[in-house]
Amino acid sequence: MPTTNILPGDADFSIPPVRSLAGLTATVVGTSQLSDQLIRVTLTSPEVAATDFSVCTDRYVKLEFATADGPVRRSYTIRNFDRAAGTIDIDFVVHGTEGVAGPWAATARPGDTLVMGGVGGGYRPAPHAPWHLLVGDESALPARFGRVVRYRE
């Protein structure tokens, strides 16, 4: 296989990243246990359904979790985006009772709400690259899956 060097300047960044920083309310509409340590939570929010992610291979939100010490914000990749249904799926890695988001996902039920902000996307790799190397642990799987799906489009 011949080697092709794709430099950072080869990616098209002329289109600005998609971003929405407004505080939005997301409502849980369902959950699925994908594996012993992976839970998918389906959320609905009309504002997210109206977001145009077409230029990005990544899609993410910042979720805010209530804790005894105050709110904690974490970024999560949108695993699936269904504009017609107005839903997004977020996959959470659960390590027992450790952390903030994993325990929340393990107990999330339809009707639960949380604050969501920082809806966005901006990663657009060079489309003419002959191959891409995607590396990450299990928490990176949603982002990797999303990029593979977008590469095929």
Side-chain angles (χ1 to χ4, degrees):
M1 174 191 243
T3 302
T4 303
N5 293 323
I6 304 297
L7 302 174
D10 292 336
D12 178 9
F13 294 102
S14 62
I15 303 169
V18 175
R19 297 240 170 38
S20 170
L21 300 177
L24 311 172
T25 299
T27 303
V28 175
V29 294
T31 62
S32 303
Q33 186 82 37
L34 303 178
S35 72
D36 290 345
Q37 294 186 329
L38 196 61
I39 295 175
R40 178 168 292 160
V41 177
T42 302
L43 302 166
T44 186
S45 171
E47 295 88 355
V48 172
T51 302
D52 179 12
F53 291 108
S54 62
V55 299
C56 308
T57 61
D58 67 333
R59 301 162 180 171
Y60 62 83
V61 293
K62 294 188 181 293
L63 302 177
E64 191 172 285
F65 302 94
T67 71
D69 298 325
V72 173
R73 188 172 274 204
R74 299 282 187 265
S75 297
Y76 283 89
T77 299
I78 297 172
R79 175 61 180 91
N80 296 309
F81 173 58
D82 185 336
R83 183 183 308 280
T87 61
I88 58 173
D89 292 334
I90 307 289
D91 293 347
F92 293 86
V93 177
V94 180
H95 302 283
T97 59
E98 292 181 35
V100 176
W104 175 86
T107 61
R109 299 292 175 258
D112 290 352
T113 61
L114 45 80
V115 174
M116 180 171 60
V119 177
Y123 180 65
R124 293 179 304 278
H128 60 280
W131 57 274
H132 299 270
L133 176 63
L134 304 175
V135 179
D137 64 8
E138 60 192 355
S139 67
L141 287 176
R144 302 304 175 253
F145 284 134
R147 289 180 179 128
V148 168
V149 167
R150 294 302 305 257
Y151 290 148
R152 291 182 178 182
E153 292 176 350

